[in-house]
Amino acid sequence: MSTPDSATSETQVKLPQKRYYRQRAHANPFSDHQLDYPTMPSEMDWSKHYPTYYPTKDAKCDKKVEFADIGCGYGGLLIALAPLFPEKLMIGMEIRLKVEEYVYERIKALRIQKPGSYQNVSIMRMNAMKFLPNFFEKGQLTKTFFLFPDPHFKARKHKARIISTTLLAEYAYIMKVGGILYTITDVRDLHEWMVEHLDAHPLFERIPDAECEQDPVVEHVRTATEEGKKVARNEGDKFLACYRRIEDPLESA
Amino acid sequence: MKARYTDVVQHPSQEHMVFSYGQGYYVVKTSTGEIIKQVQPSEENKSSGLEHFRTTTFSKDGKYLATTGDDKEIRVWDTTNWEQQSARPVLKRINAMQFTKDGSQVVEADKFGDVYVFPTEVSETTAAEKQEAMKKNKPIVGHVSMLTDMTLSDDEKYIITADRDEHVRVSRFPNGYNIESYCMGHTDVITNIQLLPWAPNVLATVGGDCTFRLWDFMVGKELHSLQYKSHVEKYVPEGVDANSMDPIVMKMELSTKDKIAVLSFAKAPILLVLKWDESTSSFEFNSIVETSAPVLSFGFDIEGNIWTALDDETRVAVYLRKDGSFEPTDGARTNNINTAETPE
């Protein structure tokens, strides 16, 4: 896969059009998707994503990915955050092929349009429910985002929801103590589900809404994504809940 | 045709071995081959066509035997008289289970990816009460993948779980929501994991990628990896698994007596013997034991001999431990178990 950075001189740099990249919203996270993933984090070739920081696979670089948008869709949040946190590496994970291709092309075009910018943002096609520990070390991430996740309305599909008790253990593992997990949805039932599960998980503590509003990222969580804009157009509600990764209360005693 | 024995498990301290054949099990006194007991669920407990005894495990003191199968029931047996003490339902089929050291709890890993802890003593009496208790019990650990094996650490502060997607996860026990580390490196399904009895901070793992790996599991560091493909591949028939051409491990057992590891493989008529080298703190290839038919299960008896359950008319064959190798024996010791009736 050529890096988003390589330019072909004859190509007019246009942003890709979403209508060529539509894919149905639901993908089954339990089926085998023929995904490409490293055996362990140290084996990951980040040069495909951040060539400025990792010119080669084995290049020594102090920077590690710190922000992950799980189910990043069309990449709206990351593209908004990239210029705000130019020193932080961030990645989107998206299971749907066409959507990932769109974001990849978008980042590629942005890197050419604005030289020197958007070198810190990338996307991968990945099943975040299964393979996060293959990419990220313990305590690596300082921000994780779960924006407008698939609600999987039917009771029998609840196990496919991206926030669940068992998955929260994995998210807690890859997050640094003090890191922040952001959730937002327009589906009240899903919001209540996520809050219930996060409240019940001993390694996450709710950040009071007032404190959330102080976070410069929150505004983008609300408005930067496709889904967020669609909800606003339809005058829907947006339910935000942010959590801090904390120490195990059982171990700190 | 008699049903095959599909699971072999040895008592931790007495010379008893349990041979399961789907609908029941036999308890054999290994020094003589005498059958102590035949056990089958009673008629009303039985659901036809299902294998009740796929996975069996003794408690650490040998006082209890827990069995489970496709009927999704966990039965606990008193090993002094081989009477069923209790039966309770589980949500999904269990792939691995283990008693805690004090025998008070059973830890169960299921095919859906969840681990549950239940008390050994079942206080509920009616089916409805048992269903209630089952539903109320929430998993302590969960993978988004089928769990293939599980073990508690020696000090029971950690629980180690292995899955179909190459992950070996180390979590705190019983606070499984806190993941300690991952042992990453295998490139195919992991089928068996076990702590070295003589070095319990070291974990041995095997599966479908033809490597036998050792780990300092608490920090997820690989200590050693042994490639054994060249020793076994000629014995494994082609196309044994739709997903892989490589031999896949069925069972791994460690013997403290000889400090060896023995592996059996799906549809292969062999046992692979690896020997521990004290000077390098790793295992090396020792030998191949050729059997007359694919090995369905096996176990070490109290003397360190290997009892194998084979997929042919012989059914059970014993290999005697002799000067660092294993020799086949005549059928005297296995006569009883092999002529025993095993109704389907």
Side-chain angles (χ1 to χ4, degrees):
Chain A
M1 178 172 115
S2 60
T3 66
D5 199 54
S6 54
T8 45
S9 50
E10 66 270 19
T11 309
Q12 194 184 354
V13 177
K14 262 187 356 191
L15 290 171
Q17 292 182 280
K18 277 196 192 117
R19 62 192 163 100
Y20 297 130
Y21 293 87
R22 293 292 177 207
Q23 184 167 344
R24 56 187 287 274
H26 305 278
N28 183 356
F30 297 104
S31 34
D32 288 315
H33 287 264
Q34 299 294 329
L35 297 162
D36 207 6
Y37 49 89
T39 316
M40 60 188 93
S42 56
E43 291 292 308
M44 177 60 185
D45 182 4
W46 292 108
S47 68
K48 299 192 301 193
H49 295 281
Y50 311 105
T52 307
Y53 297 95
Y54 292 86
T56 60
K57 180 189 170 199
D58 299 314
K60 293 269 172 274
C61 177
D62 288 334
K63 278 201 202 301
K64 291 195 154 100
V65 171
E66 276 190 52
F67 300 173
D69 186 347
I70 313 284
C72 65
Y74 293 92
L77 176 73
L78 291 172
I79 299 215
L81 293 184
L84 296 181
F85 297 89
E87 296 303 303
K88 302 281 186 194
L89 296 183
M90 50 191 81
I91 193 108
M93 298 182 122
E94 175 52 55
I95 201 170
R96 296 170 291 169
L97 179 64
K98 286 208 177 71
V99 177
E100 182 261 344
E101 283 176 349
Y102 166 82
V103 180
Y104 172 78
E105 292 299 323
R106 192 173 171 194
I107 293 173
K108 193 165 145 181
L110 284 170
R111 285 181 177 181
I112 295 165
Q113 276 187 0
K114 297 183 163 42
S117 297
Y118 299 101
Q119 292 294 335
N120 59 332
V121 60
S122 188
I123 182 162
M124 64 169 80
R125 192 168 90 82
M126 189 43 53
N127 183 337
M129 284 172 81
K130 286 196 183 191
F131 301 114
L132 288 175
N134 292 65
F135 291 93
F136 306 119
E137 291 163 3
K138 187 172 187 180
Q140 182 174 330
L141 303 180
T142 53
K143 289 192 195 300
T144 55
F145 298 94
F146 297 86
L147 272 47
F148 302 98
D150 191 332
H152 290 294
F153 288 108
K154 294 192 173 121
R156 66 179 166 83
K157 295 284 288 172
H158 284 182
K159 64 180 190 261
R161 284 181 167 173
I162 197 82
I163 297 281
S164 67
T165 310
T166 54
L167 280 172
L168 284 173
E170 292 212 18
Y171 304 147
Y173 172 82
I174 56 169
M175 286 183 74
K176 196 171 171 169
V177 169
I180 303 175
L181 185 152
Y182 300 80
T183 73
I184 190 168
T185 179
D186 58 320
V187 180
R188 181 186 280 281
D189 175 57
L190 180 65
H191 166 71
E192 283 169 3
W193 164 286
M194 294 196 286
V195 165
E196 182 194 323
H197 285 75
L198 278 155
D199 281 349
H201 200 282
L203 301 182
F204 289 100
E205 175 185 75
R206 179 93 185 250
I207 298 174
D209 290 341
E211 202 183 315
C212 288
E213 299 308 321
Q214 306 294 321
D215 186 337
V217 161
V218 163
E219 177 204 329
H220 300 284
V221 164
R222 280 205 175 97
T223 60
T225 61
E226 264 273 288
E227 202 57 42
K229 293 186 169 96
K230 186 162 82 178
V231 171
R233 277 197 302 275
N234 297 334
E235 292 176 15
D237 295 309
K238 291 178 191 175
F239 305 103
L240 175 83
C242 303
Y243 286 80
R244 183 169 287 116
R245 166 47 161 125
I246 57 173
E247 300 269 14
D248 188 347
L250 228 60
E251 306 287 338
S252 336
Chain B
M1 188 186 91
K2 296 208 181 87
R4 305 287 192 239
Y5 294 109
T6 52
D7 194 50
V8 177
V9 65
Q10 57 277 23
H11 191 290
S13 50
Q14 290 171 24
E15 43 166 11
H16 289 153
M17 260 180 138
V18 171
F19 291 82
S20 304
Y21 57 88
Q23 291 305 318
Y25 64 86
Y26 281 101
V27 185
V28 173
K29 185 173 172 181
T30 52
S31 55
T32 59
E34 180 197 338
I35 292 180
I36 311 276
K37 183 91 181 186
Q38 179 192 13
V39 175
Q40 279 189 291
S42 59
E43 279 314 307
E44 73 263 11
N45 276 334
K46 223 158 113 163
S47 332
S48 65
L50 293 174
E51 283 196 19
H52 295 265
F53 301 94
R54 284 176 60 114
T55 303
T56 55
T57 187
F58 277 95
S59 59
K60 300 282 183 281
D61 58 6
K63 186 163 171 242
Y64 295 117
L65 176 77
T67 65
T68 188
D70 292 336
D71 58 347
K72 296 195 287 191
E73 289 274 322
I74 301 253
R75 298 169 200 275
V76 176
W77 309 79
D78 179 339
T79 63
T80 52
N81 55 18
W82 302 100
E83 297 287 324
Q84 182 177 304
Q85 290 290 95
S86 65
R88 59 176 160 79
V90 286
L91 269 172
K92 297 282 177 185
R93 193 188 73 206
I94 302 296
N95 280 342
M97 53 182 186
Q98 190 176 46
F99 281 87
T100 51
K101 272 190 173 153
D102 65 4
S104 67
Q105 295 176 309
V106 185
V107 185
E108 300 150 17
D110 73 17
K111 73 169 201 174
F112 183 65
D114 291 331
V115 180
Y116 295 88
V117 181
F118 276 94
T120 306
E121 300 280 329
V122 177
S123 51
E124 297 81 22
T125 43
T126 67
E129 280 174 5
K130 289 178 184 180
Q131 281 286 328
E132 253 318 293
M134 177 187 79
K135 286 182 185 145
K136 279 208 188 114
N137 194 318
K138 298 294 165 202
I140 58 159
V141 167
H143 287 222
V144 179
S145 186
M146 177 188 290
L147 287 177
T148 52
D149 205 1
M150 168 207 60
T151 186
L152 296 176
S153 65
D154 198 54
D155 56 10
E156 297 190 335
K157 288 202 171 127
Y158 299 96
I159 176 166
I160 310 172
T161 42
D163 73 21
R164 210 176 62 99
D165 287 303
E166 313 114 33
H167 291 130
V168 175
R169 186 199 290 185
V170 182
S171 312
R172 301 275 173 97
F173 183 79
N175 43 336
Y177 56 75
N178 189 341
I179 299 173
E180 185 68 31
S181 70
Y182 282 87
C183 297
M184 309 284 288
H186 277 291
T187 55
D188 203 344
V189 60
I190 294 155
T191 58
N192 290 271
I193 64 172
Q194 200 173 337
L195 300 167
L196 301 189
W198 55 89
N201 57 322
V202 178
L203 178 75
T205 61
V206 286
D209 70 3
C210 291
T211 61
F212 178 96
R213 297 186 197 227
L214 297 175
W215 312 82
D216 177 352
F217 67 84
M218 272 175 56
V219 294
K221 181 174 168 213
E222 187 184 291
L223 299 170
H224 193 255
S225 177
L226 173 71
Q227 246 284 5
Y228 55 74
K229 188 171 176 178
S230 57
H231 299 290
V232 306
E233 60 186 336
K234 63 177 184 269
Y235 295 99
V236 179
E238 279 187 31
V240 71
D241 185 286
N243 295 320
S244 164
M245 296 306 292
D246 287 340
I248 189 163
V249 175
M250 285 270 278
K251 196 166 185 191
M252 164 171 69
E253 286 293 335
L254 303 175
S255 166
T256 317
K257 264 189 146 54
D258 298 316
K259 293 206 174 136
I260 56 170
V262 176
L263 311 183
S264 68
F265 298 84
K267 300 194 183 161
I270 53 159
L271 293 172
L272 171 67
V273 182
L274 305 175
K275 190 153 170 65
W276 173 257
D277 180 348
E278 201 64 58
S279 63
T280 57
S281 291
S282 65
F283 284 84
E284 57 192 17
F285 172 77
N286 177 268
S287 59
I288 293 277
V289 175
E290 290 182 14
T291 58
S292 62
V295 179
L296 297 172
S297 187
F298 72 95
F300 286 102
D301 69 18
I302 205 106
E303 294 165 347
N305 305 312
I306 301 177
W307 291 65
T308 58
L310 303 174
D311 191 13
D312 72 359
E313 296 302 309
T314 334
R315 300 206 296 171
V316 178
V318 181
Y319 293 84
L320 291 183
R321 173 178 164 257
K322 200 171 167 180
D323 303 322
S325 64
F326 292 92
E327 313 256 312
T329 57
D330 62 27
R333 216 186 284 214
T334 52
N335 192 49
N336 292 326
I337 190 72
N338 284 334
T339 51
E341 287 299 317
T342 49
E344 305 258 14

